Amino acid sequence: MTTNLFGKDLKQYDDIDVDAILETLTKEELDELNSELDPDNATLPASDRTKYNIDKAPTGPYDREALLDFIEKKALEDPDWDTKPYVKEIRGKIFKAKEQPKLTEEESGISTEFDEILNNASEEELVDLAAILGFTGMLNQVQYHSAYENKEQICGGFKGLAKYQELKVVPNEPPNDTDVEASRQKLEDDDPDLKDLNINNIKNISEERFEGLFNALKNNTHLKSFTMANTKASDRHVKALVAALEGNKSLETVNVESNFLSGEMIVQLLEAINVNKSVKNFRATNQRQSVLGVKTEMRLARLIEDNDSILTVNIDFDIRNARIRAHEHLQKNSDRQLRQKRVGASEDREPSI
């Protein structure tokens, strides 16, 4: 093995006795040699890795109390440093921007034919103009609507006080009086008159009634729309609906919005819809689990892409990729069905002579 240093072979120095050379050096030469050592060499003690060496002989053993007393005495005896109080001083030349001369309209050359009209306009006309241009921050609500709808302004002008508007009392929606037990019986009897079943906002339906309702829905052939929004239904209540959707072939609209369904249950419902592919509208927004997650949303997007008949799916997608894929496929389904209807109508049309 060859050892090189700066391109020179060091084998010629193998027979040199380093200890003999060191014994011939004086103390000053040893100190100078020691000062050239690498300060980053971790194998040397810290006292040997610095050029600052104290040659003074020790005055005695270490006495911590005596050292603290000496430091305190020294600090009390030495006078304080003379400090200069802070005075704010501005040095150098202060920059001042040059004042630009104000130009008249004739000198600036930007005068237009509308300046005279605006200068002579009344406050009511300015209010109308501000409303047309959309400067709603300059108007109060009553002034803006009066100008926008071209109505008479009782308190015109920008300084006019806004008069309160009378509160429009909207009556509450009547409670849903659908008889769940009677609806279940009609589903079991496959009543041809029952096309739409709405049990929205009925919050006292037990798990047993839900299960009986869904079991009756499984073999029904006439129901077209089933909505159960805001019924406080959870996964255990809707579990039987999965089997009902797998068996039913007549439903076109399913609405389970505003309930407590998880993302996994929404996936199972969409998988059940894909069995017969008769449902065209599926709504499942506003659930307690607002964030479905990347994995669940991508599964929902793939299920939508596997269905060629569904037209609308109301699900809150947070992932951009899943949202775009679902939207594009639903648009393709809608265009395909419109094209089929158009082709079918043209074929049914009688040929002109």
Side-chain angles (χ1 to χ4, degrees), residues 153-193:
Q153 299 181 31
I154 300 176
C155 300
F158 292 102
K159 299 180 181 179
L161 298 177
K163 182 182 178 182
Y164 75 94
Q165 294 180 344
E166 295 184 359
L167 179 63
K168 296 181 180 179
V169 180
V170 180
N172 296 327
E173 293 184 0
N176 193 343
D177 55 355
T178 302
D179 190 343
V180 179
E181 190 63 27
S183 299
R184 182 194 63 79
Q185 188 62 41
K186 290 182 179 181
L187 289 176
E188 287 184 353
D189 297 340
D190 202 4
D191 189 350
D193 295 332

Side-chain angles (χ1 to χ4, degrees), residues 226-295:
F226 175 68
T227 61
M228 48 170 293
N230 193 25
T231 58
K232 290 187 176 181
S234 60
D235 289 357
R236 59 187 179 88
H237 298 99
V238 188
K239 189 180 300 182
L241 180 60
V242 176
L245 293 177
E246 291 177 353
N248 190 284
K249 298 181 180 179
S250 63
L251 270 178
E252 296 182 357
T253 300
V254 176
N255 185 351
V256 292
E257 292 179 336
S258 302
N259 286 298
F260 304 124
L261 305 183
S262 63
E264 183 61 30
M265 179 53 64
I266 296 176
V267 171
Q268 294 181 17
L269 291 175
L270 201 53
E271 288 176 346
I273 290 174
N274 284 4
V275 173
N276 297 314
K277 298 182 180 181
S278 61
V279 176
K280 300 183 183 300
N281 306 300
F282 177 60
R283 302 176 181 272
T285 58
N286 193 26
Q287 305 295 334
R288 170 172 287 186
Q289 184 179 353
S290 58
V291 179
L292 300 178
V294 178
K295 185 177 180 180

Side-chain angles (χ1 to χ4, degrees), residues 292-314:
L292 300 178
V294 178
K295 185 177 180 180
T296 301
E297 291 190 11
M298 295 306 295
R299 290 176 61 189
L300 291 172
R302 286 192 294 268
L303 290 173
I304 293 174
E305 290 176 338
D306 293 339
N307 194 325
D308 296 333
S309 61
I310 195 166
L311 298 178
T312 59
V313 176
N314 287 17

Side-chain angles (χ1 to χ4, degrees), residues 17 25 86 88 107 118 120 128 131 139 142 149 163 180 190 198-199 221 233 238 257 262 268 272 302 306 324 328 352:
D17 190 357
L25 298 178
Y86 171 75
K88 184 178 180 181
E107 294 175 345
L118 293 176
N120 298 329
D128 295 340
L139 312 174
V142 176
E149 298 176 1
K163 182 182 178 182
V180 179
D190 202 4
N198 185 340
I199 59 172
T221 59
V238 188
E257 292 179 336
S262 63
Q268 294 181 17
R302 286 192 294 268
D306 293 339
I324 292 176
E328 290 180 350
S352 59

Side-chain angles (χ1 to χ4, degrees), residues 13-169:
Y13 303 106
D14 292 345
D15 298 335
I16 297 176
D17 190 357
V18 180
D19 295 335
I21 297 176
L22 293 176
E23 290 177 357
T24 60
L25 298 178
T26 62
K27 183 178 182 304
E28 290 76 10
E29 292 175 341
L30 291 174
D31 293 340
E32 183 179 357
L33 181 62
N34 189 31
S35 63
E36 299 299 333
L37 295 177
D38 185 10
D40 296 330
N41 190 355
T43 60
L44 295 177
S47 59
D48 294 339
R49 281 184 279 163
T50 176
K51 294 182 179 181
Y52 179 75
N53 295 321
I54 300 176
D55 297 333
K56 183 179 179 181
T59 57
Y62 172 70
D63 188 353
R64 183 175 182 277
E65 297 296 334
L67 179 60
L68 293 177
D69 293 340
F70 171 77
I71 295 175
E72 183 179 0
K73 181 180 178 182
K74 185 69 175 175
L76 293 175
E77 291 178 354
D78 288 348
D80 295 335
W81 294 351
D82 295 334
T83 58
K84 181 181 178 181
Y86 171 75
V87 178
K88 184 178 180 181
E89 298 180 358
I90 300 177
R91 299 180 181 180
K93 186 177 180 181
I94 301 176
F95 172 78
K96 291 184 179 180
K98 294 182 180 180
E99 296 183 359
Q100 299 292 338
K102 296 182 179 180
L103 302 178
T104 61
E105 294 181 356
E106 292 77 7
E107 294 175 345
S108 61
I110 58 174
S111 177
T112 62
E113 57 181 305
F114 300 103
D115 292 339
E116 184 179 355
I117 300 176
L118 293 176
N119 293 332
N120 298 329
S122 62
E123 287 192 358
E124 288 76 6
E125 293 172 343
L126 292 177
V127 168
D128 295 340
L129 180 60
I132 295 172
L133 297 178
F135 298 155
T136 56
M138 302 173 61
L139 312 174
N140 56 47
Q141 187 176 8
V142 176
Q143 291 172 349
Y144 173 75
H145 284 289
S146 298
Y148 185 78
E149 298 176 1
N150 197 18
K151 293 182 179 180
E152 181 182 358
Q153 299 181 31
I154 300 176
C155 300
F158 292 102
K159 299 180 181 179
L161 298 177
K163 182 182 178 182
Y164 75 94
Q165 294 180 344
E166 295 184 359
L167 179 63
K168 296 181 180 179
V169 180

